[in-house]
Amino acid sequence: MDGLPKLPAEFLEVNYDVSEPPVSARAPTAAIRQIKAPIPFAVSNIFWADVVSANRISSGDDVKNIYDLVLDMKDFPYKMVPGDTIGICPRNNREQVEKLLDRLGVREHMDISCHITVKAVTEKKNPSVPLYIPRNSTLREIFESCLDLQAVPKKLFLRALLEYTSDPKDHDSLSGLCNRKSDTYSDWVASGRSYLEAVLIDHPSCLPPINVVLEHMPRLLPRPYSIAFLSGENNSHLHIAFSVIQFFVAGEKKSGVCTSWLENVTSELRDSGDSASALCSQVAALSLSAEDKPRVQIPVFLRASNGFHAPPDLSCPLIMVGPGVGVAPFIGFMQQREQQLKDANLLDVNQCWLFYGCRYPDRDMVYSDEVKRYISNGILDKYILAHSRDHSAPKYVQDNIRLYSRDVCQMLLEGDAYFFVCGDAATMARDVLAVIVDSVARYKNVNKADAQKIVMELQAAGRYREDVWTMQDDVVRMYSKAMAEDNKRKVMNAVVPPERRLVVCDMV
């Protein structure tokens, strides 16, 4: 068919060692230990951290499941400070993996040791086993820990699948998706059915061999999380906050890969009972050497710093904007501020403000006890709240910033304040930036263009910083719309300004 990409050459071979007994599904071979591919943004090797506790800190209906995850990092060789981020290497859902391997016709082999090599004869130039796929493992372990099952298949992958599709209707559908002259692909990406399992479900006669799938599936990437604060002896316990997001795509309920895995893998450390039970679960988790106590380990690493750290000069005002789990690094900022005040006899200490927002005041206030403590001991001067679903105003953090715009502008433009934003990039951070620009324009009595220049100068000086993220699915949909308009680069640059730190992650 005219417009089809050239058929990619197959180059991998999968051999099973049937002489060995199947590997227990409960004792995975930890393929991640064998991965030779460099870790994006890593400044440390992977460290297997023991989970001290993972207790839910939200409750009630109409709120996300939010957890305080505590990791024991006492043997980690790098110093960490609030504002740093760690990467977590997640695993795909076990049931989803089993379902996919069953559809691919290899379920009976999924726990048998397999060896992945390059074919003796192949037309591919310079073939090699992808660095993120271990040469000796099991299909279960590879699909759980190495491959991104939610990735959008590229046109070359779809072209390869054509060779193993027998039904004419399925063949025509896949041909349209991978055809270079068709606009069908971008619409398909936006449909939400653009991942391997859905492709196979929607094209029942497509039965590719496992080597073709391994050749084209991309790597399951680590997810970044901001360090909230440190606790325990010698500050060896690291806290992060995560929320499990569930959403619907094409009528199908989905959950974030990493956060749903964290929720599941730490479930044995929790008790659904009262706070006393939660305390008991933490004590049990601390007894890691006992055979009868659960031990959960998570592979993590330290990511390169982007400079999102609390200013060392306490004489400058500090303004923090962090709704939801975006408040996490600011707890650490205040912890650091408290320690600075203890270590030095400081007389010139300026204001510290926190703009926080969540859905309800009594259901999903993240780290509210810690914040209250910092209010009571004078570390935090203002705690300005917004609740989006409590039938009260203001609803969002940007609404409160607008209400306090004169004070904020006075601190920013006359008091050398530092302004930090942490949270969702797609809406919150964008709206906060717009409110700041409008506020500066009114405060300085200048037009919007001049106000934008002033804010850009603050960003360049490191006094307006963002630690923001967006969901992968949102990015995919922005990408597909850009493709449909044949103007991808321009649209993406308009959506995400280059000066913004954007972490594309499964926050989610």
Side-chain angles (χ1 to χ4, degrees), residues 12 14 31-32 35 90-93 96-97 100-101 104 116 129-134 138-151 157 196 210-223 257 472:
L12 290 183
V14 181
I32 193 172
I35 292 176
R91 296 179 71 89
N92 289 306
N93 179 272
Q96 181 187 8
V97 167
L100 178 58
L101 292 176
L104 291 168
I116 301 172
V129 178
L131 293 176
Y132 53 86
I133 296 180
T138 66
L139 291 179
R140 179 195 293 275
E141 183 66 13
I142 291 171
F143 274 74
E144 281 193 15
S145 63
C146 303
L147 305 180
D148 186 354
L149 305 187
Q150 304 304 317
F157 190 7
L196 178 59
I210 196 66
N211 67 289
V212 170
V213 176
L214 293 175
E215 289 167 4
H216 291 276
M217 290 293 285
R219 179 182 184 179
L220 179 62
L221 290 173
R223 272 47 170 177
V257 173
Q472 280 183 331

Side-chain angles (χ1 to χ4, degrees), residues 308-498:
F308 194 84
H309 297 131
D313 186 359
L314 300 188
S315 66
C316 298
L318 176 61
I319 305 171
M320 304 170 291
V321 182
V325 294
V327 74
F330 301 137
I331 303 301
F333 280 23
M334 289 184 284
Q335 180 188 47
Q336 197 170 1
R337 192 177 179 91
E338 181 182 40
Q339 190 60 47
Q340 285 177 284
L341 290 172
K342 288 180 180 178
D343 292 343
N345 185 20
L346 299 176
L347 299 177
D348 190 10
V349 179
N350 218 311
Q351 295 190 73
C352 178
W353 287 27
L354 173 61
F355 289 91
Y356 179 73
C358 60
R359 293 183 179 181
Y360 300 96
D362 55 348
R363 303 183 197 178
D364 57 343
M365 295 268 288
V366 177
Y367 294 136
S368 59
D369 290 340
E370 286 79 3
V371 173
K372 291 175 183 176
R373 185 173 71 82
Y374 289 126
I375 293 172
S376 65
N377 65 14
I379 299 299
L380 182 62
D381 297 291
K382 273 191 178 295
Y383 185 33
I384 304 167
L385 300 172
H387 303 295
S388 61
R389 300 190 182 181
D390 193 40
H391 305 294
S392 61
K395 290 184 174 295
Y396 304 106
V397 288
Q398 55 265 33
D399 298 331
N400 270 328
I401 294 173
R402 188 178 291 108
L403 289 175
Y404 286 87
S405 62
R406 185 164 187 83
D407 294 318
V408 169
C409 286
Q410 186 175 25
M411 285 189 283
L412 266 178
L413 304 178
E414 299 178 20
D416 294 329
Y418 285 81
F419 193 91
F420 289 85
V421 183
C422 184
D424 172 53
T427 54
M428 183 278 297
R430 179 196 63 198
D431 292 345
V432 167
L433 180 60
V435 169
I436 290 297
V437 169
D438 290 343
S439 300
V440 168
R442 289 196 304 272
Y443 187 82
K444 299 286 287 186
N445 194 25
V446 297
N447 59 38
K448 185 175 181 179
D450 288 339
Q452 287 174 330
K453 291 180 182 178
I454 293 173
V455 174
M456 288 176 66
E457 290 173 357
L458 293 172
Q459 292 171 329
R463 291 178 44 222
Y464 189 115
R465 290 189 176 275
E466 295 176 311
D467 183 1
V468 294
W469 58 79
T470 188
M471 291 171 56
Q472 280 183 331
D473 289 275
D474 290 339
V475 174
V476 167
R477 277 145 190 75
M478 288 191 288
Y479 174 76
S480 66
K481 291 176 183 177
M483 287 178 58
E485 296 170 7
D486 196 27
N487 199 11
K488 179 176 66 178
R489 185 167 300 174
K490 181 179 178 181
V491 172
M492 289 303 289
N493 286 343
V495 173
V496 184

Side-chain angles (χ1 to χ4, degrees), residues 177-198:
L177 290 177
C178 66
N179 196 302
R180 291 191 299 264
K181 297 183 178 181
S182 172
D183 293 332
T184 308
Y185 182 78
S186 57
D187 294 334
W188 172 71
V189 171
S191 72
R193 300 288 296 172
S194 50
Y195 55 99
L196 178 59
E197 183 183 0

